[in-house]
Amino acid sequence: MIALAPSKADEAFATLLPADASPSERASFAQFRQAGLPSRRVESWHYSDLRARLRTVPPLAAAPDDASLSVARGKLGASARLRIVTVDGFYAPDLSDDVSKIAGVAIASARETDFLGAAADPLLDLNAALSRGGFVLDIAAGARIDPVIEIVALTGAQTDRSRFGRNLIRLGAKARAQIVETRDEGFAGFGDSALFIELGEDAQLDHACRCRETAGVELQSFTATLAARAKLRSVALLAQTPFLRRQYFVSLAGEGAQLHLGGAAVLGRNDHADVTLVVRHDAPHGLSRETFKYVLADHANGVFQGKITVPPHAQKTDGKMMCRGLLLSDEAALSAKPELEIFADDVACGHGAAVTKLDAQNLFYLETRGIPTIEAEKILIDAFAADVFDALESEVLRDLLRVDLSEILGEETLV
Amino acid sequence: MLEIENLHVSIAGKKILNGLTLTVEDGQVAAIMGPNGSGKSTLSYVVAGRADYEVEQGSIRLDGIDLLRKSAAERAALGLFLVFQYPLEIPGVATMTFLKAAINAQRRARGESDLPIPDFMKQVRAAAQKLDISQDMLKRPVNVGFSGGEKKRMEILQMALLEPRFAILDEMDSGLDIDALKTCAEGVNALRGKDRGLLVITHYQRLLDFISPDIVHVMSRGKIVKSGGPELALALEASGYAEYAEGAAA
């Protein structure tokens, strides 16, 4: 990492570090300070100018009081699903269902922030230093949790705040669960959240993330470790992102682990969404599939950076990474940078990137059946984006994402 | 009634239709035959409303309504239907979703409410059965992985469900073996009626053995050069198109 002179934002973050910070929090903060807020001179931040976007740093969000809980409650609405709610990054048991009623499920407020050996990343360091009050969700070994658990991230603040949510989901050996994460913290403020996922041997997790309204500047880090034969399927639907960087750090640590990552970004206006992933095959016979799609209208800007690393001992790795863009305007842009770093000699790895426009012939075909142009375009856009949802095994999660996508495209759900 | 008058059309500066005039009455089945490059497919696209053609002159009216002022979707809602020579494959769009979107779009354009789902399912099932279209085909994305015959049967299914006032069949026989041709022709014949006009575009007489026309037009160099009864198609089968190509050149 290249050291740079501290920016104004770096200085501002320094004032956020609470006086009662623990030694490990101080150590994380020192690491962040050393690297500084990434600039475009850092290769992995070349396409997302965080320094330019983050001119001011809002005050640290406080643990929710009655007033902010009430704001969040107002946004929550009713749901049949079991929900774990965070407000400004803090686990809010008052707004959450008691998921520990389900046999094999336990939830606790997280005091310790150094859950896992996290990737070397300044934003993860910043998160580790400043986060307070996340949760740890444990699914016991062998437990098969059928109901979908929903994690809802909301804000309760009335003014701009900096939020540092930090949560851990842990599945014991052979456990199975399906989790949907709904991020709806609003456009105000700054967010630097971190989700950690730890899968035991033969564990299986389906995870869907719906990003509805992200902060003016938002960073999301997704860190996962898969033990032998564990399967993680995770798909994100990104929309309404003024400036989002979603970064994945996944390690297929055990033999035969399988990873299916997908994402669909549907962006307009001046939205900017950057998906950066680092997938490390750290054991033999691992399988990974990464498919990310971007629908870009107006002046939207999509960024995809994907790196698959295969060290010498990870023989028989099977990895495929794909990025596709659908450009709906001449001003929209997609920057794609797939990378393979392969040091093992017996692997099957590939990557691809492509951009297209809406197919005029397909559009005409739909129109000749009486479907007006705008609706026909939505049908084709929906079809382009929705196929990444198939990475999920959970039909419930797939359907949730489909309905969300339809809503985003402003159409009623078809059939 | 479809009325085309003195239609001049070009694409990318190249003239394709050259003063074409044609009327197809309600209840009439008209055939257009002609050699490659005579402009038959262009005619079908222009009537259906494809945007990349430039209509330089002339008019197209359906039941007196000027189609050239309407979008492709509006034309469909007015009752126009095109059976594509090469139906498009649309990955990711479920056939049922597509059919429902089409039916309801047309109903809405006519000021009707959406078709209730049970009725929709019933109608599709009944129409599919007649055309030997399996439930499995209906579950797949539109035309994806379908054989040539399956694609054409799917076109006829759409036509049966959308019940157009006027349908153009653009070389429906291309890519079909004789059995598939029979099935499709039976489907089309079932849709013949006194309120519905059909324009059958084809190279070969063969299709007209199964869908017998009331009138046959010969098209060459972008216009109709001869019209006659069904016997004209048989004569063309025997003599070929050379006469008309030369005639137009003279």
Side-chain angles (χ1 to χ4, degrees):
Chain A
M1 203 65 70
I2 306 159
L4 292 160
S7 71
K8 274 184 191 163
D10 288 320
E11 296 301 332
F13 282 124
T15 66
L16 299 186
L17 188 70
D20 64 351
S22 71
S24 73
E25 287 161 356
R26 286 179 190 282
S28 295
F29 194 75
Q31 279 186 58
F32 164 74
R33 289 283 290 195
Q34 200 181 355
L37 203 60
S39 77
R40 296 188 62 203
R41 287 166 60 186
V42 176
E43 196 193 334
S44 63
W45 285 87
H46 183 72
Y47 301 100
S48 291
D49 198 348
L50 180 60
R51 276 191 177 220
R53 293 298 288 256
L54 196 64
R55 295 258 177 229
T56 58
V57 179
L60 194 61
D65 56 15
D66 288 346
S68 52
L69 285 176
S70 152
V71 170
R73 187 176 283 118
K75 284 184 80 174
L76 195 54
S79 169
R81 281 187 292 279
L82 292 164
R83 290 186 296 201
I84 299 168
V85 180
T86 67
V87 176
D88 294 318
F90 292 82
Y91 170 46
D94 289 353
L95 300 187
S96 304
D97 297 306
D98 184 7
V99 291
S100 60
K101 276 197 269 190
I102 310 170
V105 180
I107 185 162
S109 289
R111 299 305 305 171
E112 278 304 309
T113 51
D114 49 351
F115 301 135
L116 289 167
D121 179 84
L123 281 319
L124 271 174
D125 289 333
L126 184 67
N127 174 282
L130 298 178
S131 73
R132 296 286 186 283
F135 64 79
V136 178
L137 177 67
D138 268 303
I139 312 287
R144 192 192 163 115
I145 310 302
D146 286 329
V148 172
I149 297 173
E150 181 172 14
I151 298 167
V152 187
L154 296 173
T155 185
Q158 308 275 21
T159 53
D160 281 11
R161 285 290 179 268
S162 291
R163 298 181 291 260
F164 299 89
R166 186 177 176 92
N167 305 311
L168 167 63
I169 298 168
R170 215 160 24 195
L171 270 69
K174 295 195 168 118
R176 293 188 69 161
Q178 37 188 350
I179 293 175
V180 58
E181 194 187 348
T182 305
R183 304 200 61 86
D184 202 0
E185 292 178 322
F187 295 126
F190 169 72
D192 176 16
S193 66
L195 176 67
F196 295 84
I197 291 174
E198 214 177 25
L199 299 188
E201 290 186 358
D202 299 290
Q204 289 195 37
L205 175 66
D206 268 36
H207 169 257
C209 180
R210 312 185 283 177
C211 283
R212 284 186 176 155
E213 277 188 15
T214 62
V217 175
E218 176 145 333
L219 310 151
Q220 301 171 352
S221 297
F222 176 106
T223 304
T225 308
L226 283 63
R229 299 170 307 280
K231 287 182 186 162
L232 173 61
R233 293 172 285 258
S234 176
V235 173
L237 175 57
L238 313 174
Q240 312 226 60
T241 61
F243 185 91
L244 171 69
R245 158 92 158 200
R246 184 171 170 85
Q247 43 186 17
Y248 293 83
F249 305 99
V250 184
S251 167
L252 286 78
E255 192 163 339
Q258 294 192 9
L259 170 71
H260 292 263
L261 279 186
V266 183
L267 310 178
R269 299 164 298 274
N270 289 300
D271 287 348
H272 177 98
D274 169 342
V275 171
T276 295
L277 56 94
V278 181
V279 172
R280 186 176 162 87
H281 282 265
D282 234 340
H285 296 283
L287 179 141
S288 73
R289 296 284 180 272
E290 298 85 18
T291 308
F292 285 81
K293 292 200 168 179
Y294 296 74
V295 177
L296 303 164
D298 304 333
H299 289 80
N301 192 27
V303 177
F304 175 78
Q305 304 186 99
K307 186 193 263 186
I308 301 179
T309 303
V310 185
H313 59 276
Q315 297 292 4
K316 304 285 183 189
T317 287
D318 177 354
K320 280 192 184 63
M321 180 163 56
M322 186 69 197
C323 163
R324 292 187 62 196
L326 179 62
L327 299 182
L328 301 176
S329 90
D330 290 342
E331 286 77 32
L334 174 65
S335 306
K337 194 177 77 175
E339 288 175 276
L340 298 175
E341 255 183 26
I342 301 172
F343 300 102
D345 53 15
D346 187 11
V347 302
C349 286
H351 67 70
V355 289
T356 52
K357 287 181 168 185
L358 276 180
D359 186 295
Q361 297 210 58
N362 284 351
L363 208 51
F364 176 62
Y365 187 70
L366 295 178
E367 289 171 316
T368 62
R369 272 43 182 159
I371 302 171
T373 311
I374 290 175
E375 196 187 335
E377 285 174 351
K378 283 176 185 167
I379 288 173
L380 294 179
I381 293 167
D382 193 297
F384 171 84
D387 86 329
V388 302
F389 304 155
D390 292 342
L392 295 168
E393 201 173 271
S394 162
E395 208 173 320
V396 187
L397 297 190
R398 284 203 303 261
D399 286 347
L400 280 173
L401 292 176
R402 280 201 192 101
V403 170
D404 261 35
L405 177 63
S406 295
E407 276 173 16
I408 291 164
L409 296 175
E411 68 172 37
E412 57 151 329
T413 310
L414 296 160
V415 175
Chain B
M1 183 164 73
L2 182 76
E3 297 164 286
I4 302 172
E5 214 175 293
N6 192 30
L7 192 62
H8 291 259
V9 171
S10 64
I11 185 165
K14 189 176 180 237
K15 192 95 182 241
I16 311 278
L17 297 185
N18 213 346
L20 183 136
T21 296
L22 171 72
T23 299
V24 185
E25 307 278 351
D26 286 350
Q28 195 178 52
V29 176
I32 288 191
M33 301 183 74
N36 286 327
S38 58
K40 302 191 301 295
S41 284
T42 295
L43 174 64
S44 66
Y45 286 143
V46 171
V47 175
R50 207 165 101 170
D52 40 5
Y53 291 97
E54 194 192 333
V55 177
E56 297 167 348
Q57 222 189 105
S59 68
I60 305 172
R61 275 191 293 271
L62 180 64
D63 299 333
I65 299 169
D66 181 2
L67 290 188
L68 292 174
R69 290 170 176 275
K70 305 283 181 188
S71 69
E74 287 167 338
R75 294 178 200 199
L78 287 169
L80 187 74
F81 187 84
L82 171 62
V83 172
F84 279 63
Q85 183 180 1
Y86 301 110
L88 278 297
E89 295 189 8
I90 309 188
V93 178
T95 299
M96 292 299 268
T97 307
F98 161 68
L99 293 175
K100 187 163 164 277
I103 289 171
N104 285 335
Q106 296 204 11
R107 289 174 68 98
R108 279 174 218 159
R110 292 193 298 261
E112 298 166 17
S113 60
D114 284 6
L115 189 64
I117 289 180
D119 296 354
F120 165 73
M121 300 297 284
K122 215 162 112 184
Q123 286 185 17
V124 174
R125 230 174 275 138
Q129 204 170 15
K130 282 184 198 157
L131 289 158
D132 200 14
I133 289 171
S134 65
Q135 289 300 304
D136 176 59
M137 275 171 72
L138 292 171
K139 280 181 192 151
R140 284 189 267 165
V142 179
N143 291 326
V144 174
F146 287 14
S147 69
E150 287 172 332
K151 283 180 186 170
K152 291 295 165 73
R153 276 186 275 148
M154 197 57 86
E155 294 287 287
I156 308 302
L157 174 76
Q158 293 169 38
M159 182 172 154
L161 291 170
L162 294 170
E163 301 179 314
R165 285 274 295 126
F166 194 93
I168 302 170
L169 286 65
D170 186 10
E171 309 222 5
M172 194 189 80
D173 48 336
S174 66
L176 289 189
D177 62 36
I178 201 77
D179 292 328
L181 181 57
K182 271 185 191 163
T183 309
C184 287
E186 277 166 18
V188 171
N189 285 328
L191 295 169
R192 287 176 81 149
K194 63 177 171 48
D195 293 329
R196 182 171 290 138
L198 294 180
L199 183 61
V200 181
I201 294 175
T202 184
H203 266 306
Y204 303 110
Q205 145 70 20
R206 188 180 70 159
L207 175 63
L208 305 180
D209 288 339
F210 298 99
I211 303 173
S212 58
D214 300 310
I215 183 167
V216 174
H217 303 282
V218 181
M219 188 168 169
S220 176
R221 306 220 167 176
K223 56 184 185 185
I224 303 295
V225 292
K226 189 167 185 177
S227 301
E231 71 285 351
L232 181 56
L234 294 168
L236 278 172
E237 187 78 353
S239 64
Y241 291 110
E243 173 193 344
Y244 301 101
E246 281 164 22

